[in-house]
Amino acid sequence: MASSLSLLVAIILCFSSLRCSNAIGKGYHLISIEKSIDDGSFIGFLQVKQSNKIYGSDITILRLFIKHETDHRLRVHITDAKKQRWEVPYNLLRREQPPKVIGKSRKSPVTVHEISGPELILSFTTDPFSFAVRRRSNGETIFNTSSSDEDFGDMVFKDQYLEISTSLPKDASLYGFGENSQANGIKLVPNEPYTLFTEDVSAFKLNTDLYGSHPIYMDLRNVRGKSYAHSVLLLNSNGMDVFYRGSSLTYKVIGGVFDFYFFAGPSPLNVVDQYTSLIGRPAPIPYWSLGFHQCRWGYRNVSVVEDVVDNYHKAKIPLDVIWNDADYMDAYKDFTLDLVNFPLAKLLAFLDRIHKMGMKYVVINDPGIGVNASYSVYQRGMDNDVFIKYEGKPFLAQVWPGPVYFPDFLNPKTVSWWGDEIRRFHELIPVDGLWIDMNEINATGNKAPLGYKTIPTSAYHYNGVREYDAHSIYGFSEAIATHKALLGVQGKRPFILSRSTFVGSGHYAAHWTGDNQGTWQSLQVSISTMLNFGIFGVPMVGSDICGFFPPTPEELCNRWIEVGAFYPFSRDHADYYAPRKELYQWGTVAESARNALGMRYKLLPFLYTLNYEAHVTGAPIARPLFFSFPDYTECYGLSRQFLLGSSLMISPVLEQGKTQVEALFPPGSWYHIFDMTQVVVSKNGKRVTLPAPLNVVNLHLYQNTILPMQQGGLNSKEARTTPFSLVVTFPAGASEGYATGKLFLDEDELPEMKLGNGQSTYVDFYASVGNENVKIWSQVKEGKFALRQGLVIERVIVLGLEGTGQVSEIHLNGSPISNNTKRIEVSSKEQKYVVGSEDKGESLKSFTVELKGLEMLVGKDFNISWKMASTNGAH
């Protein structure tokens, strides 16, 4: 077998002719299908109609497996009927396994032509074989491998070339297929190939195959005014190209099997819930990881790292985590320490100091193990036979330490050895997390074309698994091994950041988007990439703030922290050769950072609750607007704004020299979170030009929301002990309204994130307004943890109230209160409307009311109410 992906290259070249697939084969004939009496699945057999030698011989007989695995998930699995083929290992990505291939097939009359489930219906034709999936609810076809025109050919299944296509309606909006820096935004663009094969290619290269492989797409359609979303996963780790023409989609894969999963939705949130229920829910993360992180390649000694921490503190910019790139290592060797620049005693003293402050320390770890007879990590690896092989010997590559071998994480012995090395390292240096980088298996130290910068595809792993097949799961398998190791060593909730990802990586690790540039375009693209990873089931994601490569203009760094402060994973990182880019380096950037990160730290309980929601349901932390407004088609292609959760919208400046921003506001009332008297109201949705001076970021909170906030601080340990505020939003000026919110708290170092362990509290918040009465109440589940922490709600702020803003008859937990019995400060302000052209002439009037000094315990149910004076003075 060739050491480069020559077949994949040939396939890519084939895209220059859109009809090239038509010459490859005539498809297959369904010769039998039967229903299993055990689990309701169906097993059929397909026979090739006319074999040829293009890209190798056709596999003559295929086995078809069809099963409605849940009410919302349908699986279609096609493989060689006579011998086992490579699939993503079931012990890595745990899922139901089809019956083993036993080499038996027989012809029998095909009497079944449709297989129905609660939400999806699969139908098929026998000759040539094709299948279609449609919704039961509205009859809409979501996938159809039979084309009525010549857009694509019949299914092809060879040893090293598989091809299948589906027709699509031209008005479908598609998202996904990563990892890819999409210059045109989150929505997929027709007539561009999307290559999936994990590569070490800098992220500033647009529309290029990058570090991860996620062969899933979400399809959002508006059918007669109602939105429907579904997703399709082709679970296959081999190199592939996906070509989207607008009216069709073609997969061209260089190995493995067709293993399709269809997720019925029908909402985008339903889709991600169904997807992550298969691939693994996103990992729970420690609270501190939602704070701000600072890193740089070039923090050359302990004194420099200490200086960075001190300068953040002097500048009063929040900082939770300080990182070291490879500078701390002895000659770039994993699990070692440069004792000249990072003397152990000095490093341990520094870590002791920052740990007492509540800060954390994370270091990088690359998979390449230096080939050096005096290097004990290498020696133990050789003794345990843990490395990937090539021609019977460990494959020799060249990375940062020089000659290296790569651990084979498919080998159980490697997982044990890796865990032992992490244990030894952690006993030396009590790091709080690990950053696993360079895990696409870079084989040279140079930039080079596809196939040159990876290890040979004929190298092999444990049990003879070919690198050709397993290449794209390397980072995934390393993340699993690292997660297991940290869990065993620390007994705490692990934090792992991985560059290379695959289907299911979010169950173990966070992700950053790699080596970007300090350019306005990289800033813009970072939003699309972040939103894609939410769809991929990796919600803890962000880009290098201010750009990795040199240099970054001051204005751009200002605008970048105003976006990056609201990435789920918020980290400033820079290249060795770049000018220093810490946020305190410029006065204006420091001011923007204090403003934006100051708000992030107030929002930490909200963000942590979103992480709990992600862990339980898969819901992304950062979301495209169509997740909350799927019927509003104007936002289907929007990539310059995003939501945190369902209701907090960020509308950043993404262009040089701009002091205002045009933002799209879906229908409803939106309140500016920095100045809650400002509100944007729209009946049908509209674009609004907002002022955005250099240090200002526009954040708006949607109606019908209760947002829990705290008072912030210079690190998360400090911030999470401060009193809470509840921000309640009703439709502006409405006489009736309802709002909800939630809050999750726990001992965040526990490995599991759940209720029922005595170390967590969950609170549902509710609010209503009607008949000039305002009510806010809570329902607490397992309040003991919050009570032990002494957490209180100190104030409530209610936005959008009609009337005069005057408050009377305040009741707390059923008892009237007055200034004599409890010091409660009441204030109100009239709201300012940002008026769009469609609303000129409207005379809306509403108020914000704040009650301060409440001291309500978070861990106990509360109920507070009051009356609002109407405009005519009557109650």
Side-chain angles (χ1 to χ4, degrees), residues 517-519 546 549-553 556 578-579 581:
Q517 270 189 321
T519 65
C546 295
F549 286 113
T552 304
L556 173 56
K581 298 183 185 182

Side-chain angles (χ1 to χ4, degrees), residues 16-46:
S16 61
S17 170
L18 298 187
R19 304 260 190 256
C20 64
S21 63
N22 291 349
I24 293 176
K26 299 294 185 181
Y28 283 77
H29 172 212
L30 179 65
I31 58 176
S32 70
I33 187 164
E34 294 179 349
K35 185 176 182 179
S36 167
I37 60 173
D38 297 325
D39 61 1
S41 63
F42 287 78
I43 292 179
F45 292 91
L46 307 169

Side-chain angles (χ1 to χ4, degrees), residues 41 48 126 370 504 602 774 851:
S41 63
V48 70
T126 58
K602 293 177 182 178
V774 177
L851 275 65

Side-chain angles (χ1 to χ4, degrees), residues 27 116 198 258 417 434 473 526 568 578-579 636 700 728 736 743 800 826 874:
S116 297
T198 61
F258 287 134
W417 163 81
L434 283 177
I473 63 171
S526 73
Y636 281 16
H700 289 82
V728 182
E736 294 185 348
L743 174 66
V826 180

